[in-house]
Amino acid sequence: MLNNDVYKALSDENRRKILDLLYEKDLTAGEIADQFTMSKAGISQHLTILKQAELVYANKQGQYVMYSLNTTVFQEVVRWLMKFNKEG
Amino acid sequence: MLNNDVYKALSDENRRKILDLLYEKDLTAGEIADQFTMSKAGISQHLTILKQAELVYANKQGQYVMYSLNTTVFQEVVRWLMKFNKEG
DNA sequence: TTTATATTTAAGTAATTACTTAAATACTTA
DNA sequence: TAAGTATTTAAGTAATTACTTAAATATAAA
């Protein structure tokens, strides 16, 4: 995991929205795409970036790919940001 | 403050390094630039992006501009990230 | 007031990013 | 096996980003 990949992944509004959706529940690529006006291919590319940053897991289930959050990487970002935060 | 500006600002490695430097102590634009191989103009542009995201303050002191952290905005980012964090 | 120093702004450019559509791949079901 | 559905990959493009150098602005000091 490259630290830079995580911040780059988080820098896109659509990708942050994907994370918000996955926070509610696990979703297939198609279910995620349904929440956007963008093409499925575009969403697939965003999912690849999130996967590479290790912010999400992808599990093939038959012809579907189920996406879920990988919460472990968020910690590192929070840890770095927390040091700037008055409230610790 | 636009939320998106903050994530965009944090997505660049050089800008994160600037924040790390300012965490140690307040610095003038020139002192910051001295820590990089990049041109002073390039650093000035990065500082503008950090200012716009309200991650730093800029205070003119004579011919110098003293930069310092604005810690308040970090909180919002931490708050969003924390929800994804098991330990949050 | 001239000269030097600090910083920003402007203009241009190369690289990267976020998309698109079309084609390919993988699986399911008739 | 053929056809349908889900997803990814490829190829192309427009917009954005991160830089550069040169010029402009502001202050300080000779």
Side-chain angles (χ1 to χ4, degrees):
Chain A
M1 185 261 291
L2 261 173
N3 209 257
N4 199 239
D5 291 346
V6 179
Y7 291 97
K8 287 264 194 247
L10 295 175
S11 73
D12 183 86
E13 199 141 41
N14 288 321
R15 287 194 291 267
R16 291 198 304 279
K17 184 177 165 188
I18 291 173
L19 294 174
D20 279 327
L21 292 169
L22 291 177
Y23 176 72
E24 296 304 325
K25 65 173 198 286
D26 297 356
L27 295 166
T28 67
E31 287 171 331
I32 293 168
D34 288 345
Q35 305 294 315
F36 294 85
T37 52
M38 190 185 310
S39 69
K40 282 170 196 290
I43 292 297
S44 179
Q45 287 157 13
H46 282 307
L47 288 170
T48 297
I49 289 166
L50 290 171
K51 239 185 304 179
Q52 199 181 293
E54 295 180 35
L55 290 166
V56 304
Y57 293 116
N59 287 296
K60 186 136 205 182
Q61 295 185 4
Q63 70 192 309
Y64 300 91
V65 177
M66 185 62 73
Y67 281 88
S68 57
L69 289 175
N70 176 357
T71 59
T72 58
V73 168
F74 288 93
Q75 274 176 242
E76 284 199 38
V77 182
V78 169
R79 194 174 308 127
W80 182 74
L81 286 168
M82 287 282 270
K83 91 176 192 188
F84 299 106
N85 192 333
K86 273 184 213 133
E87 304 188 7
Chain B
M1 185 261 291
L2 262 173
N3 208 256
N4 200 239
D5 291 347
V6 179
Y7 291 98
K8 287 265 193 244
L10 294 176
S11 72
D12 181 86
E13 198 142 41
N14 288 321
R15 287 193 293 267
R16 291 198 305 279
K17 184 178 165 188
I18 291 173
L19 294 174
D20 278 327
L21 291 169
L22 291 177
Y23 176 73
E24 295 305 323
K25 65 175 196 288
D26 297 357
L27 295 167
T28 67
E31 287 171 331
I32 292 167
D34 288 345
Q35 305 295 314
F36 295 84
T37 52
M38 190 186 309
S39 70
K40 282 171 196 291
I43 292 297
S44 178
Q45 287 158 13
H46 281 306
L47 288 169
T48 297
I49 289 165
L50 289 171
K51 239 185 306 179
Q52 198 180 295
E54 296 181 36
L55 289 167
V56 304
Y57 293 116
N59 288 296
K60 185 136 204 181
Q61 296 185 3
Q63 71 192 307
Y64 300 91
V65 177
M66 185 62 73
Y67 281 89
S68 57
L69 288 177
N70 176 354
T71 60
T72 58
V73 168
F74 288 93
Q75 273 176 243
E76 283 199 37
V77 181
V78 169
R79 195 174 306 126
W80 182 75
L81 286 168
M82 287 283 269
K83 90 177 192 188
F84 299 107
N85 192 333
K86 275 181 211 136
E87 306 187 7

